[in-house]
């Protein structure tokens, strides 16, 4: 019996060790694949920036950076966001350098009109979409005032830029004001996610909750122009990148205990109130208008409702601004591509479920 017991222990030890090694190999492969994808994104964004006037901050986000974010092919469209000091002057310079990037009526109005439409109608961003680089690869880029980026990261005014920067992204050029504001944005995202989660949850639940912050309420989902499984796809396929992005934030959070299997948080009224107070001003102002009390579940529902309202308004505004400032041909092509990609994702998932 004694020797049988030893053999059983040795067998279990080997099984645990083998599982740990398999997990490490998977993480290494995932990290290597991510590094290759980020290197490709950096190379592509460098080409985009070379054709544009100088910018203060630039980053790539979306399916070209995130693993398995969509069912697009290996050469996914590149989404770029650039921040500039004087958007009106920048658009004038860019329209001279790259007139084909703009619709004729946008060029006619000039940089001031382009930026004015972005701030009064949209979510502070003007996008030039359906473009091709010198190698024929698709990309689009949005242009935002540095001050508006900082404002959104700190206050979640639109949760537009801030939401894109909740998820892994590749920064190609950085300015200190945005880097510092992004640190606060990440802390806000972690606190908001925790308020929507129960006392015990998994790391995947935490990642899923963060991704969901800027997608719940998105009008594109209401019209089936976005992949309904996008939240799950991003959260499951980018665990390592999400972990690296938030590990320092999580370590600094009060009342949070983490482990390989189960995470636990303090859901006492005092801890809940502290997390609410740490949220951006736009959210706390909205929460102060409703009586949520100390019940953690009610607080979580209220936070989700506030974020849905912000996201619904900003995505609707951005859609309207895009329709008015982009050429009708490009608008129809872009919308059609979004519908096709969402439908392809649903079909792929149905096929996988059938198997």
């Amino acid at each position: 019996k004694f020797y049988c017991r030893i053999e059983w222990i040795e067998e279990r030890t080997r099984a645990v060790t083998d599982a740990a090694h398999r997990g490490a190999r998977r993480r290494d492969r995932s990290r290597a694949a991510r590094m290759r994808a980020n290197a490709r994104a950096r190379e592509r964004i460098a080409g985009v920036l070379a054709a544009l006037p100088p910018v203060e901050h630039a980053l790539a986000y979306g399916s070209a950076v995130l693993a398995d974010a969509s069912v697009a092919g290996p050469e996914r469209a590149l989404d770029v966001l650039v921040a500039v000091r004087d958007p009106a002057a920048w658009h004038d310079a860019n329209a001279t350098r790259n007139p084909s990037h703009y619709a004729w009526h946008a060029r006619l109005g000039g940089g001031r009109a382009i930026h004015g439409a972005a701030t009064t109608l949209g979510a502070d961003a003007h996008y030039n979409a359906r473009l091709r680089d010198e190698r024929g690869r698709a990309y689009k880029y949005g242009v935002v005032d540095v001050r508006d980026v900082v404002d959104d990261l700190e206050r979640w005014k639109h949760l537009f830029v801030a939401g894109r920067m909740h998820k892994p992204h590749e920064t190609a050029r950085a300015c200190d004001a945005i880097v510092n504001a992004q640190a606060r944005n990440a802390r806000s995202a972690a606190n908001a996610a925790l308020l929507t989660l129960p006392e015990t949850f998994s790391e995947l639940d935490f990642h899923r909750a963060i991704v969901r912050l800027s997608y719940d309420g998105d009008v594109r989902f209401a019209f089936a122009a976005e992949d309904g499984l996008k939240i799950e796809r991003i959260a499951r396929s980018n665990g390592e990148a999400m972990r690296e992005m938030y590990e320092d934030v999580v370590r600094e959070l009060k009342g949070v205990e983490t482990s390989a299997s189960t995470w636990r948080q303090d859901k006492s009224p005092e801890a809940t109130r502290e997390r609410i107070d740490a949220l951006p001003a736009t959210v706390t102002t909205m929460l102060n208008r409703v009586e949520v009390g100390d019940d953690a579940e009610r607080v979580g529902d209220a936070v989700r409702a506030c974020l849905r309202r912000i996201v619904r308004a900003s995505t609707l505004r951005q859609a309207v601004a895009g329709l008015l400032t982009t050429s009708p041909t490009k608008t129809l092509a872009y919308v059609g591509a979004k519908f096709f990609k969402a439908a392809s994702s649903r079909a792929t998932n149905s096929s996988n479920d059938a198997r």
Side-chain angles (χ1 to χ4, degrees):
K1 289 183 178 179
F2 176 74
Y3 288 114
C4 288
R5 183 66 176 173
I6 291 177
E7 289 177 357
W8 182 85
I9 293 173
E10 290 176 344
E11 183 179 338
R12 294 299 300 166
T13 301
R14 282 195 298 272
V16 171
T17 302
D18 289 345
H21 287 164
R22 286 195 298 272
R25 286 194 293 270
R26 281 196 300 271
R27 287 192 295 272
D28 289 343
R29 287 195 297 270
S30 175
R31 189 176 294 111
R34 191 171 73 256
M35 290 176 65
R36 289 193 296 272
N38 289 348
R40 287 194 298 269
R42 284 194 297 271
E43 177 266 324
R44 292 178 65 184
I45 194 174
V48 171
L49 295 178
L52 302 177
V55 304
E56 298 290 325
H57 193 95
L59 62 92
Y61 66 92
S63 59
V65 176
L66 296 170
D68 196 29
S70 72
V71 295
E75 205 59 81
R76 297 165 175 172
L78 181 70
D79 298 311
V80 177
L81 191 72
V82 300
V84 301
R85 294 288 180 186
D86 186 345
W90 191 92
H91 284 300
D92 283 334
N94 193 42
T96 300
R97 183 181 295 190
N98 300 295
S100 63
H101 290 191
Y102 296 87
W104 68 268
H105 56 281
R107 293 198 305 273
L108 189 64
R112 183 170 295 182
I114 294 169
H115 181 57
T119 54
T120 58
L121 299 175
D124 294 332
H126 171 82
Y127 271 86
N128 288 328
R130 303 291 294 179
L131 303 173
R132 296 279 175 179
D133 64 16
E134 59 185 12
R135 292 173 57 181
R137 297 171 298 188
Y139 74 96
K140 72 173 185 284
Y141 63 93
V143 184
V144 196
D145 192 313
V146 168
R147 291 166 295 186
D148 290 329
V149 174
V150 171
D151 188 48
D152 199 39
L153 292 173
E154 293 184 341
R155 295 179 58 242
W156 287 7
K157 176 185 176 183
H158 296 301
L159 199 53
F160 188 80
V161 176
R164 281 148 180 76
M165 294 178 71
H166 286 169
K167 300 172 281 292
H169 53 275
E170 185 65 29
T171 301
R173 196 160 298 167
C175 75
D176 290 341
I178 292 178
V179 171
N180 293 334
Q182 167 58 10
R184 291 188 284 274
N185 179 46
R187 287 195 296 271
S188 296
N191 278 302
L194 289 170
L195 285 168
T196 68
L197 290 168
E199 185 176 356
T200 59
F201 53 96
S202 67
E203 183 183 38
L204 176 59
D205 292 330
F206 178 67
H207 295 164
R208 191 185 289 122
I210 287 177
V211 174
R212 186 180 297 279
L213 296 177
S214 59
Y215 279 131
D216 271 358
D218 191 325
V219 296
R220 295 174 299 176
F221 286 101
F223 293 102
E226 192 56 274
D227 177 9
L229 295 171
K230 194 167 190 175
I231 296 170
E232 189 69 18
R233 213 183 284 276
I234 292 173
R236 283 192 177 276
S237 302
N238 295 273
E240 188 72 21
M242 293 285 288
R243 184 180 303 118
E244 290 178 6
M245 184 174 177
Y246 285 96
E247 61 182 353
D248 290 339
V249 174
V250 171
R251 192 180 300 116
E252 294 171 2
L253 289 173
K254 294 181 180 179
V256 178
E257 300 174 4
T258 64
S259 69
S261 57
T262 303
W263 290 24
R264 185 179 301 275
Q265 64 168 319
D266 182 357
K267 296 291 281 187
S268 68
E270 295 77 16
T272 298
R273 173 48 57 184
E274 191 171 339
R275 295 209 190 287
I276 291 174
D277 292 341
L279 295 177
T282 302
V283 183
T284 55
T285 299
M286 295 172 72
L287 287 173
N288 288 336
R289 295 178 187 151
V290 296
E291 293 293 332
V292 295
D294 294 329
D295 183 78
E297 187 172 347
R298 287 188 61 193
V299 169
D301 291 341
V303 169
R304 279 189 288 265
C306 290
L307 297 180
R308 276 196 297 269
R309 287 176 56 191
I310 296 171
V311 173
R312 185 179 300 115
S314 67
T315 53
L316 183 58
R317 286 168 60 99
Q318 194 62 32
V320 171
L323 287 171
L324 296 177
T325 57
T326 307
S327 71
T329 302
K330 282 190 175 183
T331 298
L332 289 173
Y334 177 74
V335 172
K338 295 295 285 185
F339 274 108
F340 178 76
K341 190 163 75 170
S344 297
S345 177
R346 288 192 292 272
T348 299
N349 186 67
S350 298
S351 176
N352 290 339
D353 289 344
R355 286 199 295 269

